[in-house]
Amino acid sequence: MELLDQILPLVQKPARYTGGEWNAVRKDWSEIDLKVAFAFPDVYEVGMSHLGLQILYSIVNNRNDALMERVFAPWPDMEDKMREHKIPLFTLESYRPVRDFDVIAFTLQYELSFTNILNMLELAGLPLRASQRGDEYPLVIAGGPCSFNPETLASFIDLFVIGEGEEAIGDFLDDFRNARIRKLSKKDFLREVVRVPGIYVPSLYRVEYLDDGAIRKVEPIGDGIPKRVNKRVVRNLDKAPFPTRPLVPSTEIVHDRIMIEVLRGCTRGCRFCQAGVIYRPVREKRPETVRRQAAELVRRTGYDEISLTSLSTSDYSPIRSVSKALIDDHADRGVGVSLPSLRVDNFSVQLAKEVQKVRRSSLTFAPEAGTQRLRDVINKGVTEEDLMAAVGVAFQEGWQAIKLYFMIGLPTETVEDLDGIVHLAREVLARGRKAGVPRGRLRVTVSVSSFVPKAHTPFQWEPQAPMEDLKEKQAYLTGKLRDRGIVVNYHDAGMSFIEAVFARGDRRLCRVLERACALGCKFDGWSEHFRLDRWLEAFRQSELDPVWYACRRYDYESVLPWAHISAGVSMRFLAKEHRRALVGETTDDCRAGSCTGCGLCSALEVEPVFAGGEFDTHLPNAVQ
Amino acid sequence: MIPIYRMQYSKEGTARYISHLDLLRAFERAGRRAGLPLAFTRGFNPHPIISFAAPLGVGIAGEVEYVDLELTADITAGEVLKALSSTLPEGIQLLEVRMISEHSPGLMAGVERATYRAVAKLKCQLDQKKIDESIATFLDRTEVWVERKNKAGGKMKFNIRPGIFDMSGRSESGKIIINVELKAGSRGNIRIEEVIEAFQTVNPLPLAERFILNRTGLFTMDGQIKKTLW
């Protein structure tokens, strides 16, 4: 700490590195057997906003035989100071070097954080490649959404946990402890731990390639290694551990509020959406559970806002009664309720109006595509009428700014679909004017991202549009949408390109990651740090072609790099959905009662869970 | 009568890196965890009525700081102390709580002086005479100009010497310890970092590291006499 006191006054936001937050857990190092460092490969404010961290932190620290401490990627100013003073990567609880832990557990939230993982390993003084780390080094494990295509990190991570971590982390720690008692080597432990469902050890699989560079096959090396690793699923959210004493940061973070997950999963079936597949089935929490957790969280955190989180909170069956109950319970103490991720419909706007005490300046909707044809292709069942009804109500209720999310580069997109985006933006603007929103205040923000094909989705076979095309489309939209009151912003096409490479790539890309890291790539998800030229240089040095990875179409017959990882949804269903997409046929939500045949429930022996209540969610026109 | 509580606290250890705005939030959250009936401002975006005596720069510890907190129900000062003491984050410690009358002058308006301690390891031994001489030479100057940023972001020269009231130093087990008394508050505030930097520029001491800074007290003036903010 003394050395830190010399350095911290020289860096931005020093509270990122000090720990000592409310509800932080500091255990006696000498008394505890299993020491785990949870590593988030992004800056503190981002990592601390992640509910998964809070969940795992509480589960592990509730065990008597284990402790979990946290480490985040130091911002480059701090990294420079650490390197200058030879301070190895340390955790916030004990300021101990990460290298002293038994396990380093990375969470993989987005592909553009991968270089930070390598950089953190390097700062910790660990060899990057798993094969170079002997028994004297900690075990490096990883989980989170990007582990559904773990291949691009296969050389660096000892084992991946596929799917939900609440139960898997305990199973893993039990096995790890047991192996330690028996003095197993790391290698022997890894061979044994694959018995635990959801655990994938990449070094135990061999990949063979065809002459054209595609994958011939991926197969286990030796007996007893599963051919396919199924994701872990928690059956019942009410019984799943949920932290009611979460860490409360002393410095402002991105999501600085109580987060209660009210449902997991989403069955709307947008065909580009990976979360919609990997978090299936839908499991809703019972209203009593939500209310009890909220009461405890308010008391234990002191936050003034309860956010009901999920992939689509207006889909939570009892949303209206639960949010009302929470307001009644806590309003007198100045605690409000907020609802992120609303659907594009009237119901959602009414709900937002009832619930949000502090009126945020803008409401966000995600029609995703500009024409009905393309919205049918992606199975985003929202119509222009839904959108106009929703924004109409929003303007009448006093909102003055609307944000619209669109994607470009979607399969089958034409210039008409781009014109559709222009049309929708102008229509929304016209609604605002008609509703009498003052000209100076009225604002329609059109946020344009580029389609990135993701593993385990119906669009996993689709190529990404060439970067030049994406840039042209961005220019087309900004050129057309010059109306006063409309603001267009778009994601860097280069970033989406690299994201696509790593989202659909194979383990040969590990070389590229190493090169990129050596060339100084880090914080690639931050536009101020992203450097496409360095990435292209890394590909050149590794003699791999990023375009081949991002913009090549996979066949149904192709062995996909993630073919040995299963999210429970059958390939057959994904292919069927893909074919339906191309002819513009939509598929209903299984909530509506008819099974769409995705195969998940039978494959994983699970079922959707609905909290019941007053069916506020009318399905036919209620689509986000 | 609206109950207002004046609290004396220290902010040390990891808490020295909590910024002023974050400190406000920390007290609000601690108050809610303690189950205190916080009073809120009226209006569109209500916030708890909490006011500090003087902001403390990030990285500077405070040994005797003050904050006023308004509640909606009458609770004894002792109960407030007890409740809040166990809910403040690491490094923030409540020292004393007193109930004050609504008509007491605001905390911020009362602040006129602040005392600081700056400590750093020395590269080599320094005798007392050398330390005294260094400080005397510095204080002998009638003007000490530093550069400050104005609101428009431009640079302007500012003379801090009239705001330096006292300065002394000693060395102890290889460290130099400097104590300073500076003008503080809304009618002109001198930052300890400015003073230390100017001092080191005029008369550099052989330091092995950066100064670690503590604010040791905040005061109001009764004529020529310093008084605490109670």
Side-chain angles (χ1 to χ4, degrees):
Chain A
M1 193 66 208
E2 233 174 69
L3 182 52
L4 273 185
D5 279 331
Q6 288 294 314
I7 291 164
L8 290 179
L10 303 172
V11 302
Q12 289 174 49
K13 304 190 184 176
R16 286 167 170 170
Y17 312 105
T18 59
E21 304 93 331
W22 184 252
N23 287 336
V25 180
R26 281 206 186 105
K27 291 194 172 183
D28 184 345
W29 187 267
S30 61
E31 299 275 302
I32 303 289
D33 213 22
L34 307 172
K35 289 132 182 157
V36 186
F38 183 97
F40 198 106
D42 207 323
V43 76
Y44 179 88
E45 302 92 289
V46 173
M48 282 296 289
S49 301
H50 175 54
L51 189 53
L53 181 161
Q54 301 271 15
I55 292 173
L56 293 173
Y57 189 76
S58 121
I59 290 174
V60 175
N61 283 321
N62 275 333
R63 285 173 69 121
N64 290 325
D65 62 349
L67 62 78
M68 181 177 269
E69 302 192 356
R70 295 159 297 147
V71 59
F72 301 90
W75 196 247
D77 64 341
M78 181 64 173
E79 182 188 333
D80 289 347
K81 294 285 166 205
M82 287 169 68
R83 288 188 189 276
E84 182 188 330
H85 295 269
K86 301 196 166 43
I87 302 174
L89 192 71
F90 60 90
T91 57
L92 301 191
E93 278 76 6
S94 64
Y95 304 127
R96 275 175 198 275
V98 165
R99 220 198 119 154
D100 291 356
F101 285 73
D102 301 309
V103 178
I104 304 175
F106 280 97
T107 180
L108 312 176
Q109 295 297 314
Y110 28 86
E111 290 81 1
L112 294 181
S113 67
F114 288 179
T115 49
N116 277 8
I117 295 176
L118 270 59
N119 200 31
M120 286 171 81
L121 288 174
E122 213 245 329
L123 277 169
L126 268 65
L128 299 185
R129 297 223 162 214
S131 59
Q132 305 294 307
R133 293 191 301 260
D135 287 355
E136 70 276 28
Y137 290 105
L139 196 71
V140 179
I141 72 173
C146 291
S147 61
F148 279 87
N149 178 15
E151 289 305 282
T152 48
L153 288 170
S155 303
F156 312 114
I157 305 292
D158 293 307
L159 73 84
F160 292 88
V161 177
I162 313 296
E164 295 170 354
E166 282 104 329
E167 293 160 355
I169 185 83
D171 296 348
F172 161 75
L173 285 175
D174 289 344
D175 257 41
F176 186 76
R177 185 183 182 177
N178 189 277
R180 194 136 81 176
I181 292 167
R182 292 185 291 135
K183 300 202 166 28
L184 283 192
S185 68
K186 192 186 270 185
K187 222 173 143 193
D188 290 339
F189 166 68
L190 288 172
R191 284 201 81 87
E192 262 196 33
V193 77
V194 294
R195 291 177 315 192
V196 176
I199 287 188
Y200 168 60
V201 176
S203 59
L204 299 179
Y205 293 77
R206 182 175 42 232
V207 184
E208 288 175 21
Y209 300 95
L210 298 163
D211 290 341
D212 66 354
I215 295 173
R216 182 198 304 275
K217 60 179 174 182
V218 181
E219 59 178 15
I221 306 170
D223 297 331
I225 319 286
K227 280 207 161 61
R228 249 184 150 201
V229 179
N230 283 323
K231 77 173 179 188
R232 291 294 292 263
V233 179
V234 172
R235 265 156 225 289
N236 186 323
L237 272 201
D238 290 289
K239 291 187 185 138
F242 193 78
T244 48
R245 291 175 184 232
L247 292 144
V248 181
S250 304
T251 182
E252 195 169 12
I253 58 170
V254 179
H255 298 297
D256 211 3
R257 54 190 77 98
I258 292 170
M259 285 186 278
I260 302 182
E261 187 184 20
V262 290
L263 86 143
R264 195 173 289 177
C266 172
T267 41
R268 301 215 158 249
C270 298
R271 288 168 177 142
F272 55 82
C273 179
Q274 190 187 41
V277 175
I278 65 178
Y279 295 110
R280 282 181 191 210
V282 165
R283 284 145 294 159
E284 295 188 340
K285 234 181 230 177
R286 295 160 66 90
E288 308 86 270
T289 313
V290 174
R291 227 168 136 180
R292 192 186 67 239
Q293 289 174 347
E296 205 171 329
L297 279 161
V298 168
R299 207 168 63 236
R300 306 264 195 215
T301 65
Y303 273 125
D304 64 355
E305 188 179 335
I306 304 166
S307 178
L308 301 180
T309 68
S310 73
L311 292 169
S312 176
T313 297
S314 31
D315 283 349
Y316 178 51
S317 317
I319 182 62
R320 192 168 237 155
S321 57
V322 167
S323 41
K324 270 185 188 151
L326 293 180
I327 292 168
D328 291 345
D329 290 348
H330 304 290
D332 60 332
R333 292 212 217 161
V335 179
V337 173
S338 67
L339 307 169
S341 61
L342 293 173
R343 283 192 317 250
V344 186
D345 63 15
N346 207 332
F347 170 76
S348 299
V349 181
Q350 294 293 352
L351 192 67
K353 177 195 140 200
E354 284 165 25
V355 169
Q356 244 119 289
K357 187 183 53 153
V358 179
R359 188 65 49 95
R360 295 244 167 72
S361 51
S362 81
L363 265 190
T364 303
F365 299 108
E368 304 290 3
T371 60
Q372 195 58 49
R373 184 201 66 80
L374 191 52
R375 285 192 296 273
D376 288 345
V377 167
I378 63 177
N379 205 39
K380 186 96 194 178
V382 65
T383 63
E384 184 167 341
E385 292 76 59
D386 295 335
L387 177 64
M388 291 310 148
V391 300
V393 179
F395 284 131
Q396 273 155 32
E397 293 299 339
W399 273 282
Q400 299 174 323
I402 299 285
K403 214 182 216 177
L404 301 173
Y405 280 167
F406 291 102
M407 229 183 257
I408 54 169
L410 284 163
T412 77
E413 183 185 62
T414 68
V415 70
E416 279 162 31
D417 302 301
L418 298 180
D419 289 334
I421 294 175
V422 173
H423 165 76
L424 285 182
R426 286 193 179 138
E427 281 296 303
V428 172
L429 189 73
R431 287 295 162 116
R433 284 191 187 142
K434 216 170 104 189
V437 181
R439 275 195 174 236
R441 293 286 183 89
L442 178 61
R443 184 180 294 258
V444 178
T445 305
V446 177
S447 188
V448 183
S449 64
S450 299
F451 167 66
V452 178
K454 293 271 164 128
H456 305 280
T457 65
F459 287 169
Q460 62 182 347
W461 294 279
E462 286 286 334
Q464 185 178 52
M467 201 175 14
E468 290 316 310
D469 290 7
L470 293 172
K471 283 184 186 162
E472 266 174 41
K473 288 173 181 185
Q474 290 168 346
Y476 183 82
L477 288 174
T478 45
K480 286 226 162 178
L481 286 170
R482 294 178 173 276
D483 314 48
R484 184 182 166 186
I486 295 183
V487 181
V488 183
N489 51 52
Y490 49 84
H491 292 211
D492 185 312
M495 285 165 76
S496 303
F497 174 56
I498 299 299
E499 185 186 336
V501 171
F502 285 91
R504 66 202 313 260
D506 57 53
R507 48 174 77 181
R508 286 168 295 189
L509 288 170
C510 291
R511 283 208 312 267
V512 180
L513 265 185
E514 257 168 348
R515 294 310 309 152
C517 196
L519 290 167
C521 291
K522 63 183 78 157
F523 286 101
D524 296 300
W526 297 74
S527 46
E528 71 260 47
H529 289 296
F530 180 75
R531 292 276 304 271
L532 184 63
D533 54 341
R534 286 184 186 167
W535 273 105
L536 297 179
E537 177 58 25
F539 281 101
R540 252 191 306 277
Q541 292 181 6
S542 317
E543 296 176 341
L544 287 168
D545 176 12
V547 175
W548 187 77
Y549 279 102
C551 309
R552 175 176 50 124
R553 181 180 293 279
Y554 288 124
D555 303 324
Y556 293 143
E557 293 74 36
S558 306
V559 178
L560 299 173
W562 51 89
H564 52 303
I565 304 294
S566 169
V569 172
S570 74
M571 273 298 171
R572 208 175 52 84
F573 172 77
L574 294 177
K576 190 179 91 188
E577 277 295 289
H578 183 234
R579 284 192 221 100
R580 287 171 73 92
L582 298 182
V583 293
E585 267 180 57
T586 60
T587 300
D588 269 349
D589 190 324
C590 72
R591 241 174 211 272
S594 63
C595 174
T596 58
C598 77
L600 178 114
C601 295
S602 55
L604 301 181
E605 292 174 13
V606 289
E607 277 180 1
V609 179
F610 297 102
E614 30 168 346
F615 295 96
D616 274 321
T617 39
H618 302 295
L619 279 158
N621 55 10
V623 177
Q624 188 181 331
Chain B
M1 195 184 98
I2 303 162
I4 301 175
Y5 300 81
R6 183 155 295 177
M7 307 192 252
Q8 209 181 49
Y9 67 95
S10 60
K11 177 176 178 276
E12 295 167 302
T14 58
R16 70 163 69 225
Y17 298 103
I18 299 179
S19 72
H20 186 64
L21 197 65
D22 290 332
L23 188 66
L24 184 76
R25 269 192 284 266
F27 268 93
E28 175 187 348
R29 288 170 187 171
R32 210 175 269 116
R33 291 192 288 259
L36 293 176
L38 301 175
F40 288 86
T41 55
R42 285 163 205 281
F44 212 51
N45 213 341
H47 53 86
I49 305 172
I50 297 174
S51 51
F52 292 96
L56 192 54
V58 174
I60 306 175
E63 294 176 0
V64 190
E65 298 286 306
Y66 296 87
V67 62
D68 280 356
L69 176 70
E70 205 174 299
L71 299 182
T72 57
D74 218 325
I75 298 174
T76 67
E79 281 170 315
V80 173
L81 175 74
K82 195 168 160 235
L84 207 53
S85 286
S86 56
T87 61
L88 281 164
E90 187 178 293
I92 302 175
Q93 205 192 340
L94 271 196
L95 306 172
E96 200 181 332
V97 179
R98 293 183 192 178
M99 206 192 272
I100 58 169
S101 86
E102 202 181 334
H103 304 293
S104 304
L107 254 185
M108 194 109 80
V111 178
E112 289 176 276
R113 295 281 167 92
T115 55
Y116 293 89
R117 187 178 62 246
V119 180
K121 269 190 203 126
L122 286 166
K123 270 191 194 142
C124 53
Q125 283 282 47
L126 272 187
D127 58 34
Q128 190 61 41
K129 200 168 152 237
K130 172 78 177 64
I131 297 170
D132 290 344
E133 274 172 17
S134 293
I135 293 175
T137 344
F138 181 64
L139 292 182
D140 274 347
R141 300 161 61 117
T142 48
E143 292 174 359
V144 177
W145 291 94
V146 298
E147 219 164 57
R148 280 188 177 179
K149 276 186 194 143
N150 63 20
K151 274 182 190 155
K155 285 175 182 168
M156 51 178 264
K157 294 276 185 193
F158 188 85
N159 178 16
I160 58 170
R161 180 62 191 88
I164 306 172
F165 296 104
D166 191 24
M167 189 166 178
S168 66
R170 66 196 157 84
S171 81
E172 200 179 283
S173 46
K175 289 184 172 181
I176 174 95
I177 301 166
I178 294 177
N179 284 291
V180 217
E181 182 180 330
L182 304 177
K183 184 171 180 178
S186 44
R187 290 176 300 278
N189 191 64
I190 307 296
R191 293 169 54 227
I192 178 68
E193 297 98 314
E194 302 176 311
V195 177
I196 292 293
E197 203 191 319
F199 175 68
Q200 277 297 92
T201 316
V202 174
N203 218 334
L205 294 173
L207 299 183
E209 58 174 29
R210 294 170 51 88
F211 273 109
I212 300 293
L213 307 173
N214 278 33
R215 183 151 76 189
T216 52
L218 282 167
F219 305 92
T220 190
M221 296 303 288
D222 186 0
Q224 288 306 302
I225 302 159
K226 274 195 310 221
K227 286 178 63 183
T228 68
L229 297 177
W230 285 124

